[in-house]
Amino acid sequence: VTMSGCSKELIGFDIELAKAVADKLGVGVSFVEINWDTKEAELDNRSIDAAWNGFTYTKARDEGYFDEDRNQQIGGLDFTGMYMENKQVAVVKKENAEKFGTLEGLKSAKSMVAEAGSAGFTTIQDVFEKEPVPAKKQLDIFTEVSSGASDVGVIDAVMAGYYITSETGAYHESLSVVEIEGVEKEFYAVGCREKSNLPAVFNHVLAGLWADGTIRKIGEKYGLQDVLVNGFGEYDENYQFPTDGDYAAVLKAKKFVVGYTVFAPMAYKG
Amino acid sequence: MFIEIIGELALGFLTTLELFALTLVFALPLGLLVAFCTMSRFYPLRMLFKLIVWVVRGTPLMLQLLIIFYGPGLLGLPAFSNRFLAAVIAFVINYACYFSEIYRGGIQSISKGQYEAGQVLGMTRSQIFMRVVLLQVIRRVLAPMSNEVMTLVKDTSLANTISVIEIIRVATTISSTYAVNIIFPILYAGVFYLAFIGILTLLFGWLEKKLNYFRV
Amino acid sequence: MFIEIIGELALGFLTTLELFALTLVFALPLGLLVAFCTMSRFYPLRMLFKLIVWVVRGTPLMLQLLIIFYGPGLLGLPAFSNRFLAAVIAFVINYACYFSEIYRGGIQSISKGQYEAGQVLGMTRSQIFMRVVLLQVIRRVLAPMSNEVMTLVKDTSLANTISVIEIIRVATTISSTYAVNIIFPILYAGVFYLAFIGILTLLFGWLEKKLNYFRV
Amino acid sequence: MAFLEIKNYRKNFGENEVLKGISFGLEKGQVLAVIGSSGGGKTTLLRCLNFLEIPDAGELYLNGEKLFDAAELGKKAVKDIRKKRLHFGLVFQSFNLFPQYTVFQNITLAQNLLDKENFKNQKKELRASLKECGPDERKEKKEEQKRVLQEIRSTQKARAEEKANSLLDRVGLTEKRNAYPYELSGGQQQRVAIARALALNPDILCFDEPTSALDPELTGEVLKVIKGLKSSDSTMIVVTHEMEFARNVADLVIFMADGVIEEMGTPAEVFDFPKSDKTRAFLQKSLEQTL
Amino acid sequence: MAFLEIKNYRKNFGENEVLKGISFGLEKGQVLAVIGSSGGGKTTLLRCLNFLEIPDAGELYLNGEKLFDAAELGKKAVKDIRKKRLHFGLVFQSFNLFPQYTVFQNITLAQNLLDKENFKNQKKELRASLKECGPDERKEKKEEQKRVLQEIRSTQKARAEEKANSLLDRVGLTEKRNAYPYELSGGQQQRVAIARALALNPDILCFDEPTSALDPELTGEVLKVIKGLKSSDSTMIVVTHEMEFARNVADLVIFMADGVIEEMGTPAEVFDFPKSDKTRAFLQKSLEQTL
Ligand SMILES: Nc1ncnc2c1ncn2[C@@H]1O[C@H](COP(=O)(O)OP(=O)(O)OP(=O)(O)O)[C@@H](O)[C@H]1O
Ligand SMILES: Nc1ncnc2c1ncn2[C@@H]1O[C@H](COP(=O)(O)OP(=O)(O)OP(=O)(O)O)[C@@H](O)[C@H]1O
Ligand SMILES: [Mg+2]
Ligand SMILES: [Mg+2]
């Protein structure tokens, strides 16, 4: 199903959640590994229907920006309800944990890296007032930091939890997580094209999956039960599925396409 | 672990090879067609194709990949559902333009006398091209073509710009997923390339020897 | 907005140009040195450099960039603190190897008689090289060199593999910051490349004409 | 009317009038030598005969048949050109052998292609005739046709091979049958080119300075072959700078200058009693060069 | 002892013994013609004289001075080679002019480089002498030295220019002074090559088949120049296939075959009364070729 060259199966919280949604809708789902910094183009291009991979909701991403030259709204995506809590944390080499242990320490870092166009990227700009190194994928940040190319990487706490904090994590021995003082909580949601009716449909189904405990069950499997949130509202038994737009296209294709990057525990091969 | 990594890399290299083979299969004949267009006696056609070749040769393939994959969807046309296909198309267009210049050089280096000798012997245009000129052209373009083909092998890595999972993408993903031996998947990927380039070098050497039975 | 985007792209292109210029400045002389090494009469040195050239020419530059930038750090050596520097180093090594092959071809195409004529006239080895051979070599390598330099212009885009903020990276970043489609900044970037390639074409044309005053 | 009759051939290249009305007649079995200074239009005349260039005006009659008339020049005239070319053979100054073929293949290639074309047409005709038969008859007839066709093809091949061998013998290159052009001396290459042109049995064989690209030592052998052709009654037009050769071999000599025939006649007339000053000057000059 | 004395020169290329002990003497102002069939070692002999190849054995005396002795060949012998080469000039079969320089520059380049080297040395010496003076004196002396140096340089330049002009005149190419080699005919190029070799005033000028790359028409002019040199008392060694020339111009003729001197003597001796069978056969063959 995937374009991946890997022999192992694609798993992860987001993957299973998307599959559960597809089951409920009675359609299939395919997963495509993308460069995260081209997700908007991928959505516009209809090569994916949803960017579903620990995608942090922000107002700017929701609304886009107002182009004064052309006097119109540019960009922006439509999101489902939020389903998971996250915040940005810093990762540093274990031997640097002392040095960069505080906000002051972090500020003294020579170079900071985050995924291009990610929430971490804005965090570095806002909190540290530094120009971040833009990595192509969140995963590349581990290479950046462990090779010493960058002193500090800013990534999602969820991801750091899997790769670093967890005792079986690949970077448990070499990297440390440092909480960033004053950074705000944020939430994951699924991003779709602007004016798509898929978010509404997904919201409806996700509300159902919340209600019947499926989401919790998947969360427990990946140790994420504590950060789950219900942003979908109450399950509406009388919900009328739309008959046009993206949803009609999904029904016609008998599947929807999810774009992801390798990002454990949300989507990875195991 | 080692075996696993090599296996994954090999799978990624399969994609690389597929892209390589498909590009050659289509770009080699298409390049000849483009060469004919850039040599056409019909001025607008000639100019159009010269412009196309100039633009394609003057911009990075990376850029062409992005434009071909994301362009149509944005312009309201049906988008590519298959990024591998988009990569193949971008590579074919790019390489057809490069090949066309090589063909053009080869064709123009064949003396007018060869054509005229054919005409005087009552051959048709297509007979002259197929029976007299073509093999001489092939002989002459073999060396520059072999250079370009080697470049193609390495250029395939650009496909990961539009998320085609070829060997370098696999290598970087492996190295950031597993903390151990982080640099090695990338080094191994290099070995794959070197081995393939080595095989191609032998192949072209053999071909050149085969065609060396006559002198132009 | 348009102005802003163009401004950002122009800044990115400045990096592109810097990388281009630095690569040329170092790779042109280094390539000559490598060429001499691959022609050395001392067997181990010659073989060593032939191997290096073969490996560098046989693997993608993208891979070399990754190895040079991440390699030292991952092997426990002091890491590169400056990714632009790493890019320059990778480009210089890569292009020095390509240039060396061009120089080698040029030098070997100069007839032995030119050296001997110099020797018989009592010139020193270095006088023969500087006064007799060099200009002829330059004349002969100009055409392949110009091709290679054009390729370099486009290859600079590969630096974004290690997050050097050159023009294509700027174009992609613009699209993700503003959540707009990537295609327009990318198209504009293409115009930058074409303009620069155009200037270089003129420059090489002029140089070729300058050197055309004699025939080899 | 003579065997070959050229009437008022004219040819311009842009502003440059290269042939300014050339007319002459040549009898079957005769040899015409064309001499003249550089740029006089000799090569252009030969190219016009072989339709490598299309004259702007003029007519060409061969054996009483009108082969070309610039006045009638429409689509059709151009279409038949390939067939009409076969009446003429041309041996180039620079040989123009096909480097990828052996001597034998060079000689047989064109005949082979023509044979194949004929064979295909015959096959098509035979197949068409099948349509009229009933289904029973058809199978039988098809078998028969197959035999006939096989026979045709093998006869073709045998004839082409025989022809090539006899030509090789004639130009004295039987031993070089399987050599490639690059393995031959210039004189040998030119002899192969002559054999190649003869292989299609042209009515008239044209030579454009066949020895000018050769060393003096190799010139002799090529001229000997051309002399040999004369004795076998070939009709030939030879553009040449070898005055001795022209005088000894030609039946008719044309001196061309600036696109017109300045002088025409038997060798004795042209060489010994030239009427025009230009001819006299040219002959004088070429005599000096030889010494 | 003669002006040039070669004793027992030997040279091997791997297994192939190309010079098998060559000895001869040549007086000042004499012309030696070396003839012989292909592969006999003539070119190798000239190359050994010019130290383009180092003989494996043998001695060379010039004007009584021992210039080379293979037995003594150590680091030092090789080091001085550049200076020793200047005693000999060599004109190549294929001219080997420097394509990027004009005729004038071709002729003056080597002298120019030598002049600059001398100039630098003189400057260094003068500067060194400054060290001994006091600071007041020094400034004054420096000024003076500057003037002296300028004068030296401009004398050098004037002399080189004058020399080049007279050489150009001698080979009849004054008008081609500023032409580039590609603009010249083969014969003109060879004459430039001769002038270039003469510019360094070699004691002995060697020619390796100086006309073999030329058309017969151009051969004459080059041979004429060489004849002219003889009348100005240059000592020359000419490898040639032009027997007529050798007979008329040479004072001494050597016939080389298979790496040994098969016959040596005056032209009359060698050409008219050859002693060895080999010589006779060679002369007979070359006579046939000319006819
Ligand atoms: N294809 C062409 N286009 C333009 N001009 C041409 C062309 N072919 C020939 N000419 C011109 O026509 C004139 C006659 O040329 P042609 O080659 O027929 O002379 P020629 O008598 O064969 O001379 P030569 O003895 O040098 O071969 C020349 O002035 C030549 O420049
Ligand atoms: N650099 C070399 N290495 C090996 N063998 C050589 C070399 N130079 C010359 N020879 C061999 O030495 C022999 C004599 O060559 P040389 O060129 O001196 O003959 P030559 O008398 O000048 O002949 P020609 O008349 O053909 O010029 C030949 O057999 C040649 O192959
Ligand atoms: Mg002609
Ligand atoms: Mg020789």
Side-chain angles (χ1 to χ4, degrees):
Chain A
V1 184
T2 66
M3 287 280 305
S4 152
C6 290
S7 49
K8 289 185 240 165
E9 214 185 327
L10 181 63
I11 55 170
F13 178 86
D14 277 336
I15 301 299
E16 293 199 27
L17 188 57
K19 281 182 178 164
V21 169
D23 278 349
K24 270 275 178 313
L25 287 173
V27 297
V29 54
S30 63
F31 298 94
V32 174
E33 189 182 332
I34 60 169
N35 288 329
W36 199 239
D37 59 357
T38 56
K39 56 190 174 299
E40 293 83 4
E42 295 276 350
L43 284 166
D44 270 359
N45 197 36
R46 299 186 166 270
S47 42
I48 60 174
D49 294 310
W52 192 332
N53 189 213
F55 192 1
T56 302
Y57 175 90
T58 69
K59 201 152 175 289
R61 283 177 178 165
D62 197 358
E63 292 170 0
Y65 70 96
F66 187 73
D67 184 346
E68 285 168 11
D69 300 351
R70 278 183 281 180
N71 200 23
Q72 68 183 39
Q73 205 66 23
I74 301 288
L77 300 172
D78 276 3
F79 287 88
T80 64
M82 303 169 220
Y83 60 89
M84 193 179 287
E85 187 184 310
N86 178 47
K87 67 180 173 196
Q88 298 298 317
V89 295
V91 297
V92 299
K93 272 193 183 171
K94 196 140 240 169
E95 63 258 36
N96 292 340
E98 289 276 291
K99 188 166 139 205
F100 297 128
T102 61
L103 192 61
E104 287 311 306
L106 284 173
K107 278 184 177 163
S108 72
K110 275 209 296 289
S111 68
M112 300 184 121
V113 59
E115 185 182 27
S118 71
F121 199 79
T122 355
T123 304
I124 295 174
Q125 288 171 325
D126 295 349
V127 177
F128 301 105
E129 290 167 357
K130 276 205 163 85
E131 203 39 55
V133 171
K136 261 192 178 162
K137 297 174 287 159
Q138 193 142 225
L139 200 56
D140 290 346
I141 290 166
F142 292 126
T143 309
E144 281 276 335
V145 176
S146 43
S147 74
S150 293
D151 291 337
V152 175
V154 175
I155 61 169
D156 292 15
V158 170
M159 188 182 196
Y162 180 84
Y163 281 103
I164 303 170
T165 319
S166 143
E167 286 189 9
T168 55
Y171 293 92
H172 186 67
E173 301 295 330
S174 54
L175 300 183
S176 289
V177 176
V178 178
E179 302 276 337
I180 304 170
E181 245 175 84
V183 78
E184 286 180 17
K185 254 199 252 177
E186 57 190 40
F187 297 93
Y188 291 159
V190 180
C192 300
R193 273 179 292 280
E194 179 82 333
K195 304 213 171 62
S196 171
N197 55 16
L198 278 181
V201 174
F202 287 163
N203 261 338
H204 167 70
V205 176
L206 287 166
L209 292 173
W210 182 272
D212 68 13
T214 308
I215 294 183
R216 165 152 283 273
K217 225 169 75 197
I218 299 173
E220 278 167 356
K221 191 166 157 192
Y222 294 99
L224 297 167
Q225 61 279 11
D226 297 337
V227 289
L228 293 174
V229 296
N230 177 9
F232 320 116
E234 290 296 312
Y235 182 65
D236 176 6
E237 280 175 29
N238 303 318
Y239 179 73
Q240 288 288 318
F241 282 93
T243 55
D244 58 352
D246 281 359
Y247 184 58
V250 165
L251 288 181
K252 192 158 164 252
K254 297 200 180 68
K255 68 164 189 186
F256 60 89
V257 184
V258 166
Y260 74 96
T261 66
V262 177
F263 174 5
M266 310 306 279
Y268 62 103
K269 282 153 198 139
Chain B
M1 184 70 189
F2 175 75
I3 299 290
E4 252 171 61
I5 289 180
I6 295 296
E8 287 193 33
L9 287 173
L11 273 171
F13 199 59
L14 223 63
T15 308
T16 299
L17 289 181
E18 255 175 83
L19 181 55
F20 170 79
L22 286 171
T23 304
L24 276 193
V25 166
F26 293 107
L28 282 172
L30 187 64
L32 195 56
L33 211 74
V34 174
F36 285 133
C37 290
T38 58
M39 291 187 292
S40 158
R41 262 175 271 169
F42 183 55
Y43 182 82
L45 186 73
R46 185 170 75 241
M47 281 302 129
L48 175 69
F49 272 84
K50 283 201 166 178
L51 182 71
I52 292 176
V53 170
W54 185 71
V55 169
V56 170
R57 286 167 45 102
T59 49
L61 178 49
M62 187 186 277
L63 204 139
Q64 291 159 23
L65 279 161
L66 291 167
I67 290 173
I68 285 182
F69 185 56
Y70 295 121
L74 187 81
L75 298 174
L77 301 168
F80 277 101
S81 56
N82 185 336
R83 59 194 71 231
F84 182 74
L85 180 66
V88 170
I89 291 174
F91 272 85
V92 166
I93 292 175
N94 186 278
Y95 272 84
C97 287
Y98 277 93
F99 289 163
S100 80
E101 291 288 280
I102 295 177
Y103 284 128
R104 195 160 65 96
I107 291 172
Q108 285 175 345
S109 75
I110 304 297
S111 85
K112 227 179 96 197
Q114 291 288 313
Y115 293 93
E116 292 186 344
Q119 285 177 335
V120 166
L121 292 170
M123 297 189 199
T124 62
R125 281 180 65 124
S126 74
Q127 281 174 342
I128 294 174
F129 186 77
M130 299 301 294
R131 300 298 191 117
V132 175
V133 177
L134 189 59
L135 196 64
Q136 296 182 45
V137 171
I138 291 177
R139 165 77 193 279
R140 275 173 202 249
V141 301
L142 202 62
M145 214 45 134
S146 115
N147 278 336
E148 211 55 61
V149 169
M150 304 289 176
T151 310
L152 170 59
V153 175
K154 293 168 279 164
D155 271 358
T156 50
S157 62
L158 286 170
N160 78 41
T161 310
I162 55 169
S163 301
V164 170
I165 315 292
E166 46 64 67
I167 186 166
I168 292 199
R169 165 60 74 95
V170 173
T172 53
T173 304
I174 293 175
S175 47
S176 34
T177 308
Y178 309 110
V180 284
N181 294 339
I182 228 159
I183 193 78
F184 291 109
I186 294 177
L187 286 175
Y188 299 153
V191 175
F192 275 89
Y193 280 106
L194 283 178
F196 189 49
I197 292 270
I199 291 171
L200 284 179
T201 308
L202 292 179
L203 204 79
F204 272 107
W206 174 81
L207 215 62
E208 200 154 330
K209 229 167 107 186
K210 269 261 144 180
L211 280 180
N212 247 348
Y213 77 89
F214 70 94
R215 289 204 203 126
V216 275
Chain C
M1 186 61 202
F2 175 76
I3 300 290
E4 248 171 66
I5 288 182
I6 295 295
E8 284 189 41
L9 287 173
L11 272 173
F13 199 60
L14 223 65
T15 308
T16 298
L17 290 181
E18 252 175 87
L19 181 55
F20 171 80
L22 286 171
T23 303
L24 277 193
V25 164
F26 292 108
L28 282 173
L30 186 64
L32 195 55
L33 211 75
V34 174
F36 284 134
C37 290
T38 58
M39 291 186 294
S40 158
R41 260 176 273 169
F42 183 55
Y43 182 84
L45 186 72
R46 185 170 76 241
M47 280 302 129
L48 176 69
F49 272 84
K50 284 201 165 179
L51 183 71
I52 292 176
V53 170
W54 183 71
V55 168
V56 170
R57 285 168 44 103
T59 49
L61 178 50
M62 187 184 279
L63 206 138
Q64 291 159 23
L65 279 160
L66 291 169
I67 291 174
I68 285 180
F69 184 55
Y70 294 123
L74 295 176
L75 295 174
L77 302 166
F80 274 102
S81 57
N82 182 338
R83 55 195 74 230
F84 182 75
L85 180 66
V88 170
I89 292 175
F91 272 85
V92 167
I93 292 176
N94 185 276
Y95 272 84
C97 287
Y98 278 92
F99 289 163
S100 79
E101 291 287 280
I102 294 177
Y103 285 128
R104 194 160 65 98
I107 291 172
Q108 286 177 342
S109 75
I110 305 297
S111 84
K112 226 178 98 195
Q114 291 287 313
Y115 293 93
E116 292 185 345
Q119 285 178 337
V120 167
L121 292 169
M123 297 189 198
T124 61
R125 278 180 68 122
S126 75
Q127 281 173 343
I128 294 174
F129 187 76
M130 298 303 291
R131 301 298 190 117
V132 176
V133 177
L134 189 58
L135 197 64
Q136 297 181 46
V137 171
I138 292 177
R139 165 80 194 277
R140 276 173 200 250
V141 302
L142 201 62
M145 216 44 137
S146 117
N147 277 337
E148 211 55 61
V149 169
M150 303 292 175
T151 309
L152 171 59
V153 175
K154 294 168 279 164
D155 270 358
T156 50
S157 62
L158 284 172
N160 79 38
T161 308
I162 56 169
S163 299
V164 170
I165 321 282
E166 48 65 67
I167 187 167
I168 291 198
R169 173 48 72 101
V170 170
T172 54
T173 310
I174 289 175
S175 91
S176 49
T177 352
Y178 300 113
V180 292
N181 197 297
I182 198 169
I183 198 86
F184 289 112
I186 286 283
L187 280 176
Y188 300 149
V191 176
F192 276 90
Y193 279 107
L194 282 178
F196 188 50
I197 292 271
I199 292 170
L200 285 179
T201 309
L202 291 178
L203 202 81
F204 272 106
W206 173 82
L207 214 65
E208 200 154 330
K209 228 166 107 188
K210 270 259 145 183
L211 279 180
N212 247 349
Y213 77 90
F214 71 93
R215 289 203 202 125
V216 276
Chain D
M1 193 182 262
F3 181 62
L4 170 72
E5 193 74 46
I6 303 286
K7 288 194 177 158
N8 200 30
Y9 255 33
R10 288 176 179 281
K11 179 72 191 173
N12 303 315
F13 290 114
E15 293 287 280
N16 188 4
E17 204 176 354
V18 177
L19 297 183
K20 300 174 183 165
I22 300 287
S23 307
F24 65 86
L26 185 66
E27 290 304 333
K28 194 157 179 169
Q30 280 195 331
V31 175
L32 164 65
V34 184
I35 60 175
S37 51
S38 187
K42 306 181 296 298
T43 298
T44 307
L45 176 62
L46 286 198
R47 291 171 62 83
C48 283
L49 287 180
N50 284 271
F51 303 112
L52 288 175
E53 310 282 358
I54 305 298
D56 298 322
E59 295 160 36
L60 188 159
Y61 296 86
L62 187 73
N63 215 353
E65 187 194 349
K66 190 197 264 185
L67 223 57
F68 173 81
D69 184 348
E72 288 174 6
L73 195 69
K75 275 243 147 163
K76 213 171 153 225
V78 179
K79 221 176 181 177
D80 276 358
I81 236 169
R82 198 159 70 84
K83 285 268 152 61
K84 288 179 180 166
R85 269 185 188 140
L86 292 178
H87 292 291
F88 297 88
L90 175 58
V91 175
F92 298 87
Q93 189 171 347
S94 48
F95 329 144
N96 293 337
L97 295 182
F98 304 135
Q100 73 268 44
Y101 293 120
T102 61
V103 166
F104 182 77
Q105 289 167 329
N106 261 284
I107 295 174
T108 52
L109 177 67
Q111 186 62 55
N112 216 331
L113 293 172
L114 288 175
D115 284 350
K116 272 187 191 159
E117 214 174 312
N118 283 336
F119 179 74
K120 254 190 210 156
N121 288 340
Q122 278 179 308
K123 193 168 168 182
K124 222 185 262 168
E125 264 171 48
L126 283 174
R127 287 281 182 268
S129 73
L130 274 184
K131 274 189 190 154
E132 287 152 26
C133 322
D136 298 344
E137 222 182 336
R138 187 176 288 180
K139 205 173 170 188
E140 205 175 299
K141 250 193 157 172
K142 214 171 174 178
E143 277 303 307
E144 199 199 307
Q145 284 187 3
K146 209 170 175 181
R147 237 174 308 123
V148 172
L149 286 169
Q150 265 175 2
E151 183 142 345
I152 293 177
R153 191 76 191 105
S154 65
T155 318
Q156 281 182 342
K157 278 187 183 163
R159 215 177 326 142
E161 169 132 13
E162 202 183 317
K163 182 85 206 269
N165 284 337
S166 94
L167 283 170
L168 279 172
D169 187 42
R170 211 149 136 199
V171 299
L173 287 175
T174 306
E175 272 156 39
K176 296 289 180 183
R177 195 176 187 278
N178 295 317
Y180 287 93
Y182 79 91
E183 297 171 312
L184 304 179
S185 74
Q188 291 171 329
Q189 288 189 46
Q190 190 60 300
R191 285 186 277 156
V192 176
I194 293 172
R196 181 176 69 174
L198 284 173
L200 296 178
N201 297 319
D203 294 312
I204 293 171
L205 187 56
C206 307
F207 296 85
D208 189 8
E209 305 187 16
T211 61
S212 69
L214 301 179
D215 295 340
E217 307 151 46
L218 303 175
T219 300
E221 59 189 42
V222 171
L223 293 181
K224 218 167 79 189
V225 167
I226 300 177
K227 256 188 223 165
L229 293 178
K230 179 187 159 91
S231 64
S232 71
D233 268 348
S234 298
T235 316
M236 293 187 279
I237 301 179
V238 186
V239 171
T240 186
H241 283 152
E242 304 276 337
M243 295 304 149
E244 246 350 88
F245 174 77
R247 181 199 284 269
N248 292 338
V249 174
D251 301 298
L252 185 69
V253 176
I254 286 180
F255 170 62
M256 270 182 82
D258 291 330
V260 298
I261 294 182
E262 191 67 29
E263 185 120 14
M264 166 154 64
T266 63
E269 284 167 5
V270 174
F271 287 113
D272 300 332
F273 306 103
K275 276 168 271 170
S276 107
D277 289 343
K278 269 196 194 169
T279 318
R280 234 167 284 139
F282 172 77
L283 290 173
Q284 182 62 31
K285 224 176 98 199
S286 68
L287 194 70
E288 273 165 19
Q289 268 172 9
T290 325
L291 295 183
Chain E
M1 194 182 265
F3 182 61
L4 170 71
E5 193 74 45
I6 302 288
K7 286 195 178 156
N8 199 31
Y9 256 34
R10 289 175 179 280
K11 179 72 190 172
N12 304 316
F13 290 114
E15 293 287 280
N16 188 3
E17 204 175 355
V18 176
L19 297 183
K20 300 174 184 164
I22 300 287
S23 308
F24 64 87
L26 186 66
E27 291 304 335
K28 195 162 181 167
Q30 278 194 331
V31 175
L32 164 64
V34 182
I35 58 174
S37 50
S38 187
K42 307 182 297 295
T43 297
T44 306
L45 176 61
L46 287 198
R47 291 172 61 84
C48 283
L49 288 179
N50 284 272
F51 303 113
L52 289 175
E53 310 281 358
I54 306 299
D56 299 321
E59 295 160 36
L60 188 158
Y61 296 86
L62 187 72
N63 217 353
E65 184 194 350
K66 191 198 265 185
L67 223 56
F68 173 82
D69 184 348
E72 288 175 5
L73 194 70
K75 273 242 150 170
K76 209 169 156 229
V78 180
K79 220 177 184 176
D80 276 355
I81 236 170
R82 199 160 69 84
K83 286 265 153 63
K84 289 181 179 166
R85 272 187 187 135
L86 291 178
H87 292 291
F88 296 88
L90 176 56
V91 175
F92 297 87
Q93 189 171 345
S94 49
F95 330 146
N96 294 336
L97 295 182
F98 304 135
Q100 73 268 44
Y101 294 121
T102 62
V103 167
F104 183 79
Q105 290 168 329
N106 260 284
I107 295 173
T108 52
L109 177 67
Q111 185 63 56
N112 214 333
L113 292 172
L114 288 175
D115 284 351
K116 272 188 190 159
E117 212 175 310
N118 283 336
F119 179 74
K120 251 190 213 157
N121 287 340
Q122 278 179 308
K123 193 168 168 181
K124 221 184 262 166
E125 265 171 47
L126 284 174
R127 287 280 181 269
S129 74
L130 274 183
K131 278 194 187 146
E132 288 152 24
C133 323
D136 299 343
E137 219 182 340
R138 186 177 290 183
K139 204 173 170 189
E140 205 175 301
K141 250 196 161 171
K142 215 171 176 177
E143 278 303 307
E144 198 199 307
Q145 284 188 2
K146 212 173 177 178
R147 238 176 307 122
V148 172
L149 284 169
Q150 264 174 3
E151 182 143 344
I152 292 177
R153 191 76 189 104
S154 64
T155 319
Q156 280 183 342
K157 278 187 184 165
R159 213 177 328 141
E161 170 133 13
E162 200 182 320
K163 181 87 208 266
N165 285 337
S166 95
L167 282 171
L168 278 173
D169 187 41
R170 209 149 137 199
V171 299
L173 286 175
T174 306
E175 271 156 42
K176 296 291 180 182
R177 194 173 188 279
N178 295 318
Y180 288 93
Y182 78 91
E183 299 170 312
L184 305 178
S185 74
Q188 291 170 330
Q189 289 190 47
Q190 190 61 297
R191 283 185 279 156
V192 176
I194 293 171
R196 181 176 69 175
L198 286 172
L200 295 178
N201 297 320
D203 294 312
I204 292 172
L205 187 55
C206 307
F207 296 85
D208 188 8
E209 305 188 16
T211 60
S212 68
L214 301 178
D215 296 340
E217 307 151 46
L218 303 174
T219 300
E221 60 188 41
V222 171
L223 293 181
K224 218 167 79 189
V225 168
I226 300 176
K227 258 186 221 166
L229 294 179
K230 180 188 160 91
S231 63
S232 72
D233 268 348
S234 298
T235 315
M236 294 188 278
I237 301 179
V238 186
V239 170
T240 184
H241 284 150
E242 304 276 335
M243 296 302 149
E244 246 351 86
F245 175 80
R247 182 199 285 267
N248 294 337
V249 176
D251 301 298
L252 186 68
V253 176
I254 285 180
F255 170 64
M256 268 182 85
D258 294 328
V260 300
I261 294 182
E262 189 70 28
E263 185 120 14
M264 167 152 62
T266 64
E269 284 167 5
V270 173
F271 287 112
D272 300 332
F273 307 103
K275 276 168 271 168
S276 108
D277 289 341
K278 269 195 194 171
T279 319
R280 231 168 287 138
F282 173 76
L283 290 173
Q284 180 61 31
K285 223 175 99 199
S286 68
L287 194 71
E288 273 164 22
Q289 267 171 12
T290 324
L291 295 186

